Amino acid sequence: MSKRPSHIPWSGLAALLLLGSCERSPVAPVAPDGACRDTLPWFTQVDYELSWSADGNRAAFRRCVRSSYGGPGLYVIPRFGGKPLYVLPANIFWPKEVRFSPDGTRVAGVWGFSLFIADLRTGRVDWPYYTTSGVNYVDWSPDGTTLLLNRPIAAPWTPDDSIGIHLFDLRTGQNRAFRFQGGLVF
């Protein structure tokens, strides 16, 4: 059983670690009087990790307050730091379920239960279709031509195959229910 060495000033080391550098962090959120605090006083989280690119060199995350990056938004940042890329506005709830395309040039995700696809090279954001069944849990096919998504909301006026797991073909814009042995998959 080892004992803690008595010659190391543990309390001083702990204070140093807690205080950190005196230099202002370039990515720290602005004081917590932003929109999140105004609407939800119990809210303390400002960043949500969303996903890694397939090559592991970039990450997408949602920041819900103004910071030195800019306004609340979905950002893509290089793994080892660097200038963040602003993709689209964000709040404490949206976007979510953001996934990089296999080639890393686009991200797809959910905003307000609608599907969006953002091209990271051009900055263009598309909203390919709207459904009253909503969209949730988006992911890319390995070849980047199809999105797998869940449509979770059933309504009396929607057909039976409007909910469950769906495939959205990016080449044709067609959306179809995923079926296994003739039945819908939920």
Side-chain angles (χ1 to χ4, degrees):
M1 181 155 197
S2 66
K3 289 187 171 186
R4 183 173 63 182
S6 61
H7 65 278
I8 298 177
W10 290 100
S11 60
L13 179 60
L16 179 64
L17 290 174
L18 288 174
L19 293 175
S21 170
C22 293
E23 183 178 345
R24 183 171 181 250
S25 171
V27 296
V30 175
D33 60 349
C36 295
R37 285 280 185 174
D38 291 344
T39 57
L40 299 170
W42 47 266
F43 182 74
T44 58
Q45 186 170 343
V46 295
D47 290 332
Y48 295 85
E49 299 77 23
L50 296 175
S51 69
W52 285 100
S53 60
D55 64 7
N57 287 325
R58 292 184 294 167
F61 70 95
R62 175 181 71 213
R63 176 166 280 179
C64 72
V65 297
R66 176 166 294 286
S67 72
S68 58
Y69 280 1
L74 172 65
Y75 290 92
V76 172
I77 188 163
R79 177 181 187 171
F80 298 107
K83 184 175 179 177
L85 173 66
Y86 177 86
V87 180
L88 71 154
N91 63 35
I92 62 172
F93 302 110
W94 309 105
K96 64 179 197 162
E97 307 300 334
V98 175
R99 300 290 179 262
F100 281 89
S101 62
D103 65 2
T105 62
R106 297 173 289 172
V107 292
V110 177
W111 176 280
F113 295 109
S114 291
L115 172 67
F116 74 85
I117 302 169
D119 188 315
L120 300 176
R121 298 165 298 185
T122 65
R124 180 181 170 145
V125 178
D126 290 314
W127 306 83
Y129 74 98
Y130 172 79
T131 173
T132 56
S133 299
V135 172
N136 218 354
Y137 306 113
V138 176
D139 204 1
W140 294 83
S141 64
D143 65 1
T145 62
T146 306
L147 291 172
L148 181 69
L149 49 98
N150 180 38
R151 291 177 50 181
I153 304 168
W157 58 85
T158 58
D160 289 342
D161 68 351
S162 67
I163 62 171
I165 298 175
H166 280 240
L167 299 167
F168 181 71
D169 187 321
L170 295 166
R171 298 164 297 186
T172 65
Q174 297 298 309
N175 177 64
R176 65 180 172 85
F178 187 80
R179 296 182 180 273
F180 178 72
Q181 297 180 344
L184 295 173
V185 179
F186 293 96

